[in-house]
Amino acid sequence: MASRSSIIRLMNMSRHVACPCHACGSGSSALLPIAAQTARKYAQAVPDKEYAFEVAAANLRFGEGVTREVGMDFKNMKARKVGVFTDTTVGKLGPMKMARESLEANGVDFEVFDNVSVEPTDASWEKAIAWSRHHDFSHFLAIGGGSVMDTAKAANLFTVYKDSHLLDFINVPVGKGLPITEKLRPLIAVPTTAGTGSETTGTAILDIPSRNFKTGIANRALKPVLGIVDTLNTDTCPTAVHISAGLDVLFHSLESYTAIPYYERTPRPANPNLRPAYQGSNPISDVFSMWALRQTVQFLPRIAKDKHDKEAQRQMLLAASFAGIGFGNGGVHLCHAISYPISGLNKTGPKYKHPGYVGEKPIIPHGISVALTGPAVFKFTAPSAPDRHRLALSAFAGVSETDDSITRLPDSQVGERLFDEIAKFLDALGVPRGLKAVGYDQGDVQRLMEGTLPQRRVLDLAPGIGDIAGEDGAEHLTQIIKDSLQY
């Protein structure tokens, strides 16, 4: 666990002192941190920049065997009928068995939907939503990975909004991104992978095959009321899934920590209800994200070597939840933005199927799709905030942030060095070395870039894009994708 001194140090390093609020006269750029003025090439100050951030996360319960308490939770909440969501694999395993026994022992009425799709699509969401609307559940339970938890969030939303269409709430510019004003029903999430952190966030992701990319819904209203993080529940997880899920933790934390600061995000919401879930880096997200990054660098390689390593399982589950709190409020940026067309186009393009995943359909697992551009992304973002990237570099290098090899490194060399360290880390996990290794080539660069541009929810948090007035990112994205073809 993080020591008191390390937490205080992280908080001091991540402190933002700007206060450009409506009621305060300290909003001038003169009061921004000096590093922010000199290291980042921000757009000129505009009157509608953000001045506040909010922190929201689900309640978490962590421990061995705590899945057995879920029936008591629903009994305590006086649940009329619970909709249980899982997939065909998890539905046959221990986590689902424990939950079912607990629900039955506590006299809780429930129905099970065990047909959640891995990497869900708009069509698979529609099926789950129709089933949920038919039963009109009072409460929801998700037992599985991110696909299951995200599907349950969507079912909850559209059970309350019975006459709404998916595109009503999907993020702009793909959908309308309407605000969620009705109270949703209580959802308890039980993760069976150490990766997405979906048990802590108000985000749900889906693939839209007709558009050849992923998108989603991001709103605090989707957040589970409780995340039950049971250290027994990743015991049966295959090594390939452990690695992909762990890579998601890695880049959740790294992207959140290096996102533009919350006070550089525009526009400032006219009403607090309109403040987005993804707000930019902030002092609280920073602490959670950096702790998660260091844990993942230390323990994910151990899981890859021995998936039954209990300490590594435990720490990766903690890291996933910590990163979920970090990125669930700070946001992610370029790796995730580009991953959505990488996964989406694969179904009709390269048709790559990652080793270790069951089923006949092509799949680039989410964590792998995020990692493919990692080295090039952080080489690009490093000049925006060299000290933050230097701290990330120390985590990958396995040394203190005060080590001479870190402190004496010129700002101009931080990105190149971080590129090398991330690539070395991914190599050790057997991650394909770039987009060519999963079947993409130079001729796909334009389509991948075009599939990334609609991901404004995360692109607008990307250093060098989201903090530059009028910058859509097309030129930079093209170069990052080219640099990610092979390395």
Side-chain angles (χ1 to χ4, degrees):
M1 297 293 289
S3 67
R4 177 182 175 87
S5 62
S6 66
I7 290 174
I8 293 172
R9 184 169 63 252
L10 277 169
M11 292 180 71
N12 287 334
M13 293 185 69
S14 61
R15 183 178 295 132
H16 300 303
V17 300
C19 183
C21 66
H22 297 290
C24 177
S26 63
S28 71
S29 60
L31 290 182
L32 290 177
I34 296 300
Q37 297 182 55
T38 58
R40 290 181 180 270
K41 296 181 179 179
Y42 289 133
Q44 292 183 347
V46 291
D48 64 346
K49 283 189 177 182
E50 181 61 280
Y51 70 95
F53 69 92
E54 299 181 19
V55 177
N59 294 322
L60 289 176
R61 181 181 299 152
F62 187 92
E64 183 172 310
V66 288
T67 304
R68 297 187 182 94
E69 295 183 354
V70 72
M72 288 183 278
D73 289 315
F74 284 117
K75 184 177 181 180
N76 292 341
M77 288 189 276
K78 297 179 172 55
R80 170 177 51 81
K81 191 174 188 180
V82 178
V84 182
F85 290 78
T86 190
D87 61 42
T88 54
T89 298
V90 176
K92 302 170 186 174
L93 300 177
M96 185 61 191
K97 182 175 183 289
M98 279 193 288
R100 186 186 291 271
E101 289 175 351
S102 181
L103 293 169
E104 291 172 346
N106 286 277
V108 177
D109 188 19
F110 66 96
E111 297 284 344
V112 177
F113 184 88
D114 62 1
N115 198 30
V116 171
S117 294
V118 176
E119 306 283 335
T121 65
D122 49 352
S124 73
W125 268 20
E126 293 281 14
K127 290 179 182 177
I129 290 166
W131 180 81
S132 180
R133 282 173 168 170
H134 172 73
H135 288 283
D136 191 28
F137 296 110
S138 66
H139 293 68
F140 291 82
L141 173 62
I143 304 174
S147 297
V148 170
M149 290 185 278
D150 290 0
T151 299
K153 290 175 184 178
N156 186 3
L157 173 63
F158 290 99
T159 297
V160 172
Y161 285 86
K162 292 185 180 296
D163 298 320
S164 295
H165 185 271
L166 282 181
L167 290 176
D168 289 339
F169 295 103
I170 283 176
N171 304 314
V172 294
V174 179
K176 297 177 183 178
L178 295 178
I180 299 173
T181 57
E182 298 293 327
K183 184 177 181 180
L184 303 190
R185 294 163 190 184
L187 163 66
I188 294 178
V190 184
T192 59
T193 61
T196 67
S198 189
E199 69 276 7
T200 72
T201 75
T203 302
I205 302 298
L206 79 162
D207 184 17
I208 302 182
S210 63
R211 302 289 297 273
N212 289 318
F213 57 66
K214 290 183 177 182
T215 183
I217 304 171
N219 192 294
R220 293 184 189 88
L222 295 177
K223 182 171 52 70
V225 296
L226 175 64
I228 294 180
V229 185
D230 189 334
T231 56
L232 295 177
N233 286 350
T234 59
D235 280 350
T236 55
C237 195
T239 298
V241 177
H242 271 300
I243 293 172
S244 177
L247 290 170
D248 205 17
V249 180
L250 185 81
F251 289 101
H252 280 159
S253 53
L254 192 49
E255 290 173 67
S256 174
Y257 189 71
T258 57
I260 66 171
Y262 72 92
Y263 53 75
E264 287 296 334
R265 196 188 74 253
T266 57
R268 177 188 300 173
N271 187 299
N273 286 338
L274 301 177
R275 184 164 283 121
Y278 288 3
Q279 302 164 83
S281 61
N282 61 76
I284 296 178
S285 286
D286 287 348
V287 173
F288 282 91
S289 294
M290 184 49 64
W291 188 86
L293 176 63
R294 291 192 178 280
Q295 294 298 296
T296 304
V297 169
Q298 179 179 354
F299 289 103
L300 182 55
R302 283 175 50 173
I303 284 280
K305 291 178 181 177
D306 177 12
K307 71 178 190 137
H308 299 297
D309 182 329
K310 299 301 291 184
E311 182 187 15
Q313 283 183 1
R314 179 184 178 88
Q315 294 307 112
M316 284 305 302
L317 278 165
L318 275 174
S321 294
F322 269 55
I325 296 170
F327 91 87
N329 294 283
V332 290
H333 54 77
L334 290 169
C335 294
H336 274 76
I338 304 171
S339 78
Y340 297 144
I342 290 173
S343 295
L345 286 166
N346 181 56
K347 294 176 176 63
T348 56
K351 297 183 179 178
Y352 173 84
K353 185 176 183 298
H354 193 64
Y357 275 69
V358 299
E360 301 300 322
K361 295 181 180 179
I363 183 171
I364 302 177
H366 176 61
I368 299 296
S369 69
V370 169
L372 289 169
T373 61
V377 161
F378 292 100
K379 181 180 178 181
F380 168 75
T381 60
S384 71
D387 285 344
R388 283 181 172 255
H389 289 74
R390 190 177 275 108
L391 188 60
L393 174 60
S394 73
F396 282 100
V399 299
S400 165
E401 62 265 30
T402 60
D403 189 88
D404 285 351
S405 66
I406 302 299
T407 59
R408 294 183 179 180
L409 189 68
D411 288 355
S412 60
Q413 296 179 21
V414 172
E416 193 69 50
R417 177 82 184 279
L418 188 53
F419 179 107
D420 292 339
E421 289 292 340
I422 294 174
K424 184 168 68 174
F425 183 82
L426 298 178
D427 280 348
L429 296 173
V431 177
R433 284 186 66 90
L435 293 167
K436 283 189 174 180
V438 297
Y440 287 106
D441 58 31
Q442 185 71 34
D444 297 308
V445 171
Q446 182 70 17
R447 286 201 304 157
L448 289 169
M449 184 275 291
E450 291 173 351
T452 305
L453 284 178
Q455 313 299 329
R456 299 317 312 180
R457 173 180 61 98
V458 290
L459 283 180
D460 287 346
L461 296 175
I465 296 175
D467 50 3
I468 306 296
E471 176 66 72
D472 70 356
E475 181 180 351
H476 295 311
L477 291 169
T478 299
Q479 190 58 55
I480 289 169
I481 293 167
K482 286 180 179 178
D483 291 346
S484 299
L485 286 171
Q486 59 184 19
Y487 53 85

